[in-house]
Amino acid sequence: MILEARGITHYYKNDLALDNVNFTAQKGEFIAIVGESGGGKSTLLSILSSLLRPTLGELFFEGKAYTQITNIDAFRQKDIGFIFQFHYLISYLTVLENIKLASLNPHDGYVETLLKQCGIEAIQNKYPDEISGGQRQRAAIVRALVNHPKVLFADEPTGNLDSHNSQNIYELFKTLSKGGTTIIIATHDRKVSEYADTLIEVNDGKIL
């Protein structure tokens, strides 16, 4: 087990967002958290990825409590990757420069390998406003993968993409999970069920 959450409860002021949620993820598992907007799926993803601290509950990464991680920034940079619905690429840097900026070892050959794997090698020297939405999202995925994360989190990663590009992203996630990377995504797109190993539905702060 690579990731475990026990009794996660979270409030935004007086509003209950998550209610006593338990969650586990195995190495190489592709998990999709689905549900309607406002149901709690993005909150759960933010908590699992350490971006948000829960009101109540415990989180463990490879058996170690999140509260025992002494350098959370190093943990986020090395052990996890995060993809947002919006790519957040820096406009005045090329695709390659954006990716290498995030890399702990920008001069190794892994960046080039990922560019090929994600099908964006040909546009690596272009700027974000010179490429398509699907290409920008793939660049964001390469950036999230560049430090060999053990878990890749993605919040509505296909929200701004058409069906063809969405399918390509899901197929890429499936390939990554088969290679041993744990994939956890939050999405309202139920077509993900064709690719994910596990589907978890969150509604009104509870796992159904």
Side-chain angles (χ1 to χ4, degrees), residues 26-180:
Q26 307 296 330
K27 177 179 171 60
E29 188 175 9
F30 182 174
I31 299 173
I33 303 170
V34 300
E36 299 303 318
S37 297
K41 63 183 186 298
S42 291
T43 297
L44 177 58
L45 194 76
S46 294
I47 289 172
L48 293 173
S49 63
S50 81
L51 297 181
L52 179 65
R53 179 173 291 186
T55 307
L56 296 169
E58 297 178 293
L59 290 147
F60 299 88
F61 188 88
E62 295 183 323
K64 183 178 182 178
Y66 277 32
T67 53
Q68 295 177 328
I69 297 172
T70 53
N71 190 333
I72 196 69
D73 291 331
F75 166 73
R76 289 171 181 159
Q77 188 172 24
K78 183 176 182 296
D79 289 323
I80 67 171
F82 204 105
I83 303 162
F84 299 90
Q85 182 175 352
F86 186 73
H87 55 79
Y88 291 111
L89 297 173
I90 299 171
S91 62
Y92 56 83
L93 297 180
T94 65
V95 166
L96 183 61
E97 288 168 341
N98 267 280
I99 293 164
K100 288 194 170 185
L101 185 65
S103 177
L104 292 170
N105 188 9
H107 302 296
D108 71 3
Y110 189 53
V111 172
E112 284 69 30
T113 299
L114 286 173
L115 288 166
K116 290 179 183 178
Q117 186 177 14
C118 291
I120 57 170
E121 184 183 20
I123 54 95
Q124 62 181 295
N125 293 317
K126 292 184 178 293
Y127 292 90
D129 63 355
E130 297 177 326
I131 60 179
S132 70
Q135 290 169 327
R136 286 192 289 266
Q137 191 65 308
R138 283 172 174 264
I141 290 171
V142 171
R143 182 180 57 188
L145 290 170
V146 74
N147 293 321
H148 305 271
K150 296 175 181 176
V151 182
L152 179 66
F153 296 94
D155 192 7
E156 298 286 4
T158 62
N160 293 322
L161 304 182
D162 59 27
S163 59
H164 175 70
N165 277 307
S166 295
Q167 180 179 335
N168 289 341
I169 296 298
Y170 290 145
E171 288 175 351
L172 174 61
F173 286 164
K174 188 68 175 177
T175 299
L176 292 168
S177 69
K178 288 180 178 178

